[in-house]
Amino acid sequence: GSSGQFLKTDGSGALSFASVSIADGSITAAKLATGVGGKVLQCKVSYDSTMVTVNNTTGGQSSQYSLTAGRVYGDLNIMTITPVSSTSTMIIQGLSGATNSNVTYPYQGAYGVVAILNNSSTGAMDNTDYQYYPLQNSLTTGVYLPNTGVQGHYAAGNTNAQEWRLKGYSYTEGSNHARIRFIKHHLIIWEVEI
């Protein structure tokens, strides 16, 4: 046989080689198992290894992007994607590593990442309020901080370009310095029909 062929039988013991072919349109949603379907329209990936330091020295900041107050943000990745369908769903996945800090982590500190659409509160994604709080009890100075992530979905609504930002945040209370050094950030955006 040739590359890509398989061995088939005629039911009477005779064997021969054949090629696999599936006619266009022969697999329909009706033939799929329940819950299987949908289509990936596009996927974009951004990776940046740059270290981004986010310092929060005072706490008490007003809420930004309609998210938890007391945070200072820094941009880790920025990606623009233009939906091909106004009825699609955007699936956002962001992950960042972090390195150690030369400042003692505050007891009343926390850190994490969020995904922000068009630098506004519309579509803002945040999976936790105070990740790793209390920071000093969870992790000590000199420790390489664990990865932190965010994921969610957003209805495209139109075919206008969307600018998504993966932002790292540092949270503190009072005048306790929280310095978080984010490194090796991934932002993945899928446009799908569900």
Side-chain angles (χ1 to χ4, degrees):
S2 301
S3 176
Q5 289 189 316
F6 67 95
L7 197 57
K8 75 172 191 172
T9 179
D10 65 359
S12 300
L15 298 175
S16 62
F17 287 98
S19 297
V20 176
S21 65
I22 300 173
D24 286 345
S26 64
I27 298 177
T28 63
K31 294 179 182 175
L32 297 174
T34 302
V36 175
K39 177 170 39 172
V40 174
L41 302 178
Q42 64 176 315
C43 179
K44 290 185 81 172
V45 177
S46 170
Y47 171 76
D48 189 338
S49 62
T50 306
M51 183 182 301
V52 175
T53 301
V54 180
N55 284 297
N56 190 340
T57 57
T58 59
Q61 293 86 356
S62 297
S63 171
Q64 295 180 58
Y65 317 110
S66 296
L67 301 176
T68 303
R71 294 175 175 176
V72 171
Y73 294 90
D75 286 331
L76 306 181
N77 293 71
I78 301 173
M79 182 189 305
T80 300
I81 187 168
T82 303
V84 296
S85 171
S86 62
T87 60
S88 63
T89 298
M90 310 305 284
I91 298 174
I92 314 303
Q93 299 172 305
L95 181 72
S96 182
T99 189
N100 63 346
S101 177
N102 58 353
V103 173
T104 302
Y105 297 126
Y107 177 78
Q108 304 93 344
Y111 75 100
V113 295
V114 298
I116 304 296
L117 172 60
N118 296 328
N119 229 16
S120 72
S121 60
T122 302
M125 296 177 190
D126 186 4
N127 296 141
T128 182
D129 291 335
Y130 306 102
Q131 190 164 9
Y132 297 108
Y133 185 94
L135 190 54
Q136 191 179 67
N137 281 5
S138 303
L139 306 160
T140 61
T141 301
V143 169
Y144 286 77
L145 299 176
N147 291 345
T148 182
V150 63
Q151 60 185 2
H153 66 278
Y154 181 78
N158 57 53
T159 56
N160 298 335
Q162 300 177 357
E163 182 184 75
W164 285 94
R165 293 174 183 252
L166 180 66
K167 290 181 175 276
Y169 71 81
S170 174
Y171 169 85
T172 193
E173 297 170 3
S175 59
N176 301 293
H177 190 177
R179 173 180 291 159
I180 306 299
R181 300 191 310 175
F182 296 94
I183 193 165
K184 299 180 180 176
H185 337 285
H186 295 79
L187 180 59
I188 304 169
I189 302 176
W190 303 79
E191 181 183 5
V192 299
E193 286 183 347
I194 299 176

